[in-house]
Amino acid sequence: MEFTLDVQPPFSLQSILHSHGWIQLASFVSDAPYQEFNYTHQLNNNRVTAWHVRQEGSALLVNTDGQINGAEKAEISEKLAWMLDLDRDLSNFYAVAHQEPKLAHVVDKAAGRILRSASFFEDTVKTILTTNTSWSGTKRMVQTLVDLYGRPLPGDPARRAFPTPEQLAEVDMEALRLQAKLGYRAPYVSELARRVASGDLDLETYKSSTLPTQALRKELLAIKGIGTYAAANLLMLLGRTDYIPIDSYALKVVSEEFHDGVPVKPADVEAAFERFGEWKGMAFWFWDYAN
DNA sequence: GGTAGACCTGGACGC
DNA sequence: GCGTCCAGGTCTACC
């Protein structure tokens, strides 16, 4: 079944898919140069569906496998709007970016929206799996979680949805450690899944939270496995752009960009983008680094 | 509040 | 093929 979603220009699906590495993680499937994508997802009624999304002019064309009913279409539309950051007003950021040559490309490419997964639970697990490992390790761990515990797409069992909190909560922690090879991250993911599945923690409310960023950050830091880098990364995914996710990559690029390759500390990364205020994280994220 | 060490895996490297 | 070293954030214990 095919339907369309209207988008407000400036808009570029390709720029969203290039916004960070999420497009390379299951259950996204897309090939470079990332102009369209497939996503497999378990809906609220537990039906597993696959979506193919591409842009045509100022509209997004969505194709689902098989027929969907009205409620399913509404859920898919709502989730795609979240995933593609469709409701984001970037005019103030563009005004700032227009004045900075290293950010001018953002305006030219209609960039600035950041790709998300359908649920904040999925993004939180994925963020935990980016910590203290290589990117190839992150991709492997996410793919393994999907392959082992995600529900398959009817008619194509090779395609699976990212497991729900309830499905992951049922998995033995040692299986997460040894079969999924999450290593020491296994208890973090297990505890998170159990808390969400039991209702102790409602991560999805963070999407529309009115808490000040600092208070929201405090709540994220209270989750086991989420430290300063991961919290800042999640805040960016929530549209809160005043913290910088400082990891070894950030230290490297800021060292090369602003300090002639001399090693820097987190405070130096903050200082480099301090002048962008509420857009500090966006300026760091979309900066046109020389190398 | 700041710091050291442990955690786990894959990849690079030397033999 | 095997062993060693290193990179990558967070947590905990300790000062």
Side-chain angles (χ1 to χ4, degrees):
Chain A
M1 177 176 172
E2 182 174 281
F3 64 94
T4 61
L5 291 176
D6 292 329
V7 295
Q8 296 298 319
F11 178 88
S12 167
L13 177 61
Q14 188 174 17
S15 290
I16 297 172
L17 302 187
H18 277 264
S19 60
H20 60 139
W22 252 217
I23 191 62
Q24 299 175 31
L25 300 180
S27 296
F28 285 103
V29 176
S30 182
D31 295 322
Y34 306 130
Q35 293 177 313
E36 55 191 22
F37 70 96
N38 289 284
Y39 187 69
T40 307
H41 180 66
Q42 182 171 331
L43 298 174
N44 293 336
N45 62 7
N46 291 330
R47 177 183 174 187
V48 177
T49 58
W51 320 334
H52 176 257
V53 182
R54 70 182 193 281
Q55 182 176 3
E56 278 200 11
S58 60
L60 286 173
L61 267 62
V62 183
N63 277 277
T64 63
D65 63 310
Q67 292 296 311
I68 53 173
N69 62 35
E72 291 170 335
K73 179 184 173 186
E75 182 182 342
I76 294 170
S77 299
E78 182 186 340
K79 286 183 170 172
L80 277 173
W82 167 257
M83 292 166 69
L84 301 175
D85 216 359
L86 297 186
D87 297 329
R88 190 85 168 274
D89 179 3
L90 289 165
S91 53
N92 288 341
F93 176 58
Y94 282 175
V96 171
H98 190 67
Q99 302 297 319
E100 169 53 61
K102 288 282 191 174
L103 293 173
H105 70 101
V106 173
V107 183
D108 298 338
K109 296 175 182 172
R113 291 182 170 84
I114 294 174
L115 182 66
R116 302 147 165 165
S117 306
S119 75
F120 193 57
F121 169 74
E122 182 173 332
D123 277 343
T124 305
V125 173
K126 286 176 174 176
T127 297
I128 290 173
L129 299 185
T130 66
T131 60
N132 206 25
T133 188
S134 62
W135 181 240
S136 63
T138 299
K139 289 197 285 187
R140 176 188 51 76
M141 286 186 274
V142 173
Q143 187 69 57
T144 306
L145 280 187
V146 169
D147 290 344
L148 290 179
Y149 313 119
R151 192 167 286 184
L153 179 70
D156 187 359
R159 299 168 70 181
R160 291 174 177 267
F162 191 87
T164 63
E166 291 76 15
Q167 288 158 359
L168 277 185
E170 289 177 0
V171 179
D172 182 73
M173 197 174 69
E174 282 307 296
L176 286 178
R177 183 192 298 275
L178 301 174
Q179 293 177 1
K181 294 193 174 181
L182 303 192
Y184 71 92
R185 301 168 197 82
Y188 301 153
V189 172
S190 182
E191 180 179 320
L192 179 67
R194 289 165 200 257
R195 288 186 64 197
V196 174
S198 70
D200 176 51
L201 177 65
D202 188 353
L203 284 176
E204 304 311 313
T205 60
Y206 291 164
K207 291 177 175 176
S208 55
S209 172
T210 56
L211 282 175
T213 304
Q214 206 167 355
L216 195 50
R217 178 175 182 266
K218 195 174 176 182
E219 294 211 5
L220 291 170
L221 286 172
I223 299 171
K224 286 279 181 63
I226 301 293
T228 53
Y229 155 76
N233 191 66
L234 289 172
L235 285 173
M236 285 292 291
L237 294 178
L238 289 170
R240 309 295 186 107
T241 59
D242 41 352
Y243 280 88
I244 298 175
I246 302 175
D247 58 1
S248 57
Y249 170 78
L251 296 173
K252 176 177 179 291
V253 293
V254 168
S255 162
E256 292 172 352
E257 183 77 11
F258 299 99
H259 297 275
D260 294 327
V262 176
V264 300
K265 295 180 178 178
D268 299 311
V269 178
E270 298 284 348
F273 296 97
E274 201 62 54
R275 64 191 169 100
F276 294 101
E278 64 176 308
W279 299 108
K280 190 164 67 173
M282 291 284 277
F284 161 78
W285 195 291
F286 288 102
W287 195 261
D288 184 17
Y289 296 97
N291 297 308

